[in-house]
Amino acid sequence: MNLNSDYWEQRYQNNDTTWDIGTISTPLKEYIDQLKDKSIKILIPGAGNGYEFEYLISKGFNNVFVLDFAQAPLDSISKRVSECNTNQLIKSDFFEHSGNYDLIIEQTFFCAIKPALRTAYVHKMESLLNQNGKIIGLLLQFPLTEIGPPFGGSKEEYSSLFQNSFKIKTLETAYNSIKPREGKELFFIFTKK
């Protein structure tokens, strides 16, 4: 299966978006609610319909960017979030994107890329973050499979994968996941070394 732009565009066109909960997830909302500096530069890769973006904009964060492979979710964001500028909506391959960010928010993107790309993902995240920049978000915890997306993983795998490039501040089962994802999500905060 080729998880390219056409694949994801087709999923959106067919409304085959079972990962989309229609709102920001509680763990991410609670993290955002404690952020004080609204000038930080934030990226949300593989943003899909971008509920995190919408929430950040509503809270006064204006230096926020979403990136997605498919055009349909970016169009959806543009229609819903009148305050956004078109330059905040980036249609691109994550691995080809360049920029520098203070915070990157992970929500169902990592689990949607092929496991063979995970090391490249870590290196790309490291390159996109400013000094002491952070990746925060949710990673799925269920046995790793080659059948996906989503592809699973474990706390041990994620720790091993990220520990050389990032200080692992938090990597714990989310206590505030939505019902269908209870026990299946790890909330994490990783700081660039």
Side-chain angles (χ1 to χ4, degrees), residues 121-167:
Y121 169 102
V122 171
H123 294 306
K124 188 64 180 180
M125 284 291 187
E126 182 181 24
S127 76
L128 290 171
L129 285 168
N130 291 323
Q131 185 77 24
N132 298 315
K134 293 178 184 174
I135 312 172
I136 70 97
L138 297 163
L139 297 168
L140 295 179
Q141 62 174 344
F142 60 85
L144 179 62
T145 174
E146 288 298 318
I147 300 169
F151 302 98
S154 67
K155 182 177 181 178
E156 295 73 27
E157 177 199 352
Y158 302 141
S159 180
S160 175
L161 191 60
F162 284 92
Q163 68 186 352
N164 290 333
S165 301
F166 293 89
K167 179 182 176 206

Side-chain angles (χ1 to χ4, degrees), residues 5-6 9 66-72 74 86 88-94:
S5 178
D6 292 337
E9 186 68 35
V66 295
L67 181 147
D68 207 283
F69 233 3
Q71 187 62 45
L74 297 174
T86 54
Q88 291 176 284
L89 309 176
I90 304 164
K91 183 179 187 293
S92 176
D93 180 331
F94 166 75

Side-chain angles (χ1 to χ4, degrees), residues 9 25 31 43 49 62 77 87 121 124 126 151 170 188-189:
E9 186 68 35
S25 66
Y31 180 84
L43 176 68
N49 283 312
N62 295 312
I77 294 168
N87 72 327
Y121 169 102
K124 188 64 180 180
E126 182 181 24
F151 302 98
T170 303
F188 73 93
I189 302 171

